[in-house]
Amino acid sequence: MGAPHVSAPVPLPADDDDDRTSFSKESLKRAFFDHLFYTIGKFPKISGKNDLYLALAHAIRDRSLQRWISSTAQYNQTAPRTVAYLSAEFLMGPHLGNHLINLGIADSVREAMAELKLDFNEILRQEEEPGLGNGGLGRLAACFLDSLATGQIPAFGYGIRYEYGIFFQTIIDGWQVENTDKWLRYGNPWEIQRAEWAVEIKLGGHTEQYTDDAGYLRVRWAPEKTVVGVPFDSPIPGYRVNTTNTLRLWRAEATESFDFSVFNQGDYLGAVSKKVTSENLTKVLYPNDETTQGKELRLEQQYFFVSCSLQDMIRIHLARGGAIGDFDKKFAIQLNDTHPAIAIAELMRLLVDEHLLPWDQAWGITTRSFSYTNHTLLPEALERWPLDLFQRILPRHLELIYEINARFLNDVRIHFLGDESRISRLSLIDESGERYVRMAHLACVGSHAINGVAELHSDLLKHGLLKDFYEMWPEKFTNVTNGVTPRRWLVLSNPRLTSLVTNAIGDAWVTDLPRIRLIEDYIDDAAFRQEWRAVKRANKVDLAALILRRTGVKVDPDSMFDVLVKRIHEYKRQHLAVLHIVTLYHRLKSGRARDPLPRTFIFGGKAAPGYHTAKLMIKLITSVGDVVNNDPDVRDLLKVVFIPNFNVTQGQCIYPAAELSEQISLAGKEASGTGNMKFAMNGALTIGTMDGANIELRDQVGAENFFLFGHTAAEVRHIKTAGYHPGDYYHSHSELRTCLDLIQSGFFSRGDTELFRPLVDNLLRHDPYLLLADYQSYIECQDLVSQAYRDHEGWTRMSILNTARSGKFSSDRSIREYAEQIWNVKPVPVELYDEAEMEHTLR
Ligand SMILES: *Cc1c(COP(=O)(O)O)cnc(C)c1O
C-alpha cells in the first residue's frame, strides 16, 4: 500500500500501565504499536495506511472485548430472556468510528494519533464497510442492534457472513457497472471465528418413518448432503454502557469427512470440488431489493442461516441449564421480513423430530417465540417458493408445512364456517397455477405478533395485503414505526451539528432523542441560527470535495443541495425528479425562468443488476447531467451529479450536507423509509408524498415545515379503479409534454431516439407509479421550495425545527416498543469483569 506514514523514530510510552485496555492516551499508543508489531507484523517504516488502520482497529477491539466478555458472562449467569434478531441482511457500515463513539474515546484516540503525527481521518477511511445488505431493510437491522445494546437488552443478531457483499457500483459512460465487493480482502479485525460452535446443516434427500423405542411413529430426514455452519462473531457495543452484544454471522464450509467414498476411489479433485460447492452457499449476497427470484441457492442460504441460528439458541439455552420445553421463555425471535420465515418450520422440526416433543407443545413454543415484521407493500416482493424446488431442498419442512397448513385451515373453517374462497386465499400453499409455498403466510401463522413499519403501512397491511389474516387474528397486528440510531446518523456522521447542539443543551439527547427538542429555545437566537448555517455550509463543502473526487464535477456549496439517495426503483420515482430537472432546464433555456435558484441535484443508489428499467433510470440521470452540467446557457445554475456506489460510508457524508430531502415515492408503496428520518435529523427539509413514515414525519415537524405534494394512497386507489390514462396528462399539460418530448427526441442521448423510448413509452402508456398524475403537484411544490430557500432565516428556522422535532425517529424508541409490546424483554445492566481477577481465577 501507500508510502510509510510514521516518521520514525517515535518515542514509545513508558511501560508502566497495569490496565492494558485503559482509555488513556498512553495506553492507546502502546496498544497501537503492540498490534502493529505483534498482530500485523510490521514496523512503522514499512507500514501502509491499511496496516495502521488494522493496528488501531485491534487496539480498539481489545477495549470492546472486556465489555463483550463481561456481557456474555452476565447473560450466562442470569439467563435473561434474549432477543434473536434474524435477518438475511445487516448493513453495518464501518465499525471503527462507531466503537470509538460508543466507547467514548473518539477524542483521546484522535489526540493520540495526532501526537504520533498520524492522520486519524485517513486511517478511519481505510475500513472497507461490510456491505452485507441491499438497502433500508439491512440498515434497519444494523440500527436496531445499536439500539438494543444501548438499551442494555440481551440480544443476538443472526445472519449470513457473505464473502461478497452488495456489489461495488461504478458508472461507465453513464451506465451502472457492477464489480465484486471483496470486503474481506485485507482481513476483518472485527470478527472472531468460533469453530467450536460450528453446527451441521442438512439439505435435500428424503424422509423416512420409523417407530421409536416408546412405540411412537417418528420421522427421520436422510439428507442428500450436509454442510457445516461456522459462526463469526462481532461485538456490538452500546453507547456508554457496558453492554456489548453479539452479531453472529454464519459461513458455510464443507463437512470434515466429505465424501470419503469418492476420495478412496482416488477422485481427489472431485471431492475437493464438492467442498467448493458447499462453500458457495454463503459466497454472495443476492443484489435484488424488493423483488424475489425463486433461486435454489437463495432458499439454501435462508435455510442454512436459520437452522444454524436455531441450533445455536438451543445449545445456549440448554448450556444455561434450561429445559427444552422452556425455550420460548428465554428467546424472542424476530423475523426481519420473510427471508428467515423458514425458521418456523425448522424450530418445529428441531422440537418434534430431534427433541421429541409432542406437536401441540412444540407449536405453542414456536408461536410464542416468533414475531414477524413485514417490510413491503409490493406484491412482487412477497416471497414464494415453487413447490418442487422446496420439496427437493427441504423435504421434511414441506411435510411439516403441510401439517401446519392442515391444522391452520381447520381453524379457518371453524372460524369462518367453511368459506372456501377464504381458505384458498389463506392457505400456506398457493394453488392458483403452478404451486408455491407462501412464506408470508407461514410467517403470519407461526408468529404471535405481526407488525408493519409505519402507521400507514400497518393500516394498509390490515386492510389490503394481509386482510384475511387480520380478520382471523386482529389481536396479532401492531405497528412499530422504524427509526434510525442517532449515534451513527448524528454523533458519528455530523460532529459539527453534534457539538452545536450539545453546547446548547447538553448531551442527554444522544440516548433520549426527543430531548433534542430543547434546541427550539434557540430558534430566535440569531447567533445560533448563524452557527447552524455554518455547520450546514461546512458539511456541504466536505460533500462538494467528495463529489469532485468521485465524479469530476465541481459543485457550488452555495447552491441548494437537493438530494435523492436510495435504491433505484420505479416506485421510488427517481425519474420524477428528472422530469423536474428537465423542466427547470427548459425554463432556463427558453428564458422563462425568472430569478432562478441555483440548485445542485445529487443522486445516488444501486439498481439490481437484472432490473433493466432501473439501470436505464441511472443512465437517464447521468445523461441529463452531462447535458445540463456542460451547457454554458445554464451558467452553473443547475448541476446534476450521480455519486457512484451509495453505501453507509457515503451516506454518512451525504445526509449531513443535504438541504432538501426527496421522498417522492408513489403514496402507498414505500413501507416506511428510513432515509427520510436521517435527512430530517440532520436538518434537511423534506419534499415528499403522503407515504410511509413521511406522514408521521410531517406530523412531528409540522405541516408548515414540510413540502407536501401528490395524491394520497386513497386517491391513488380511486384513480386506478376508475381507469388511469396517463396520456390525458401528457396532452393537457404543456410543460410536461415538452419534457417528455425532449427526452424522447434524443436531446439527452446524442440524438439516439431509441435509448429512453422504453422509459417514455412506459410512462405514456401504463405509468404504473403515476408520475404524470403527480407531476404538476410536484413542480408547483418545488417552486415553493425555491421561494422558501431564498428566505435564508426562514429556511434556517425550518431546518432547526426539523432536527428539533425528529425525536420520534430514533431507533431507541422503536426498540422500546418491540421490547415492551412484542418481545417482553427487559434491560439487563452489565457489570464489568475485572481483568486481573479473571486471570487470578485461571492461575
Ligand atoms: C438509510 C439507507 C437506505 C434506505 O434509504 P431509503 O431512503 O429509506 O430508501 C438505503 N441505503 C443506505 C446505504 C442507507 O444508509
Side-chain angles (χ1 to χ4, degrees), residues 91 134-136 139 489 565-567 572 646-648 651 655 663 670 673-676 678:
L91 194 52
N134 272 289
R139 184 53 230 173
W489 296 112
V565 289
K566 50 184 72 233
R567 285 300 288 249
K572 292 179 184 273
F646 177 59
N647 60 8
V648 174
Y655 295 114
Q663 306 299 332
E670 187 78 89
T674 49
N676 45 6
K678 298 171 205 165

Side-chain angles (χ1 to χ4, degrees), residues 334-359:
Q334 190 66 36
L335 303 174
N336 194 24
D337 211 317
T338 57
H339 316 145
I342 187 60
I344 287 163
E346 173 65 0
L347 184 57
M348 285 301 285
R349 187 188 71 80
L350 291 167
L351 295 176
V352 172
D353 291 358
E354 309 224 333
H355 292 272
L356 310 181
L357 293 190
W359 182 280

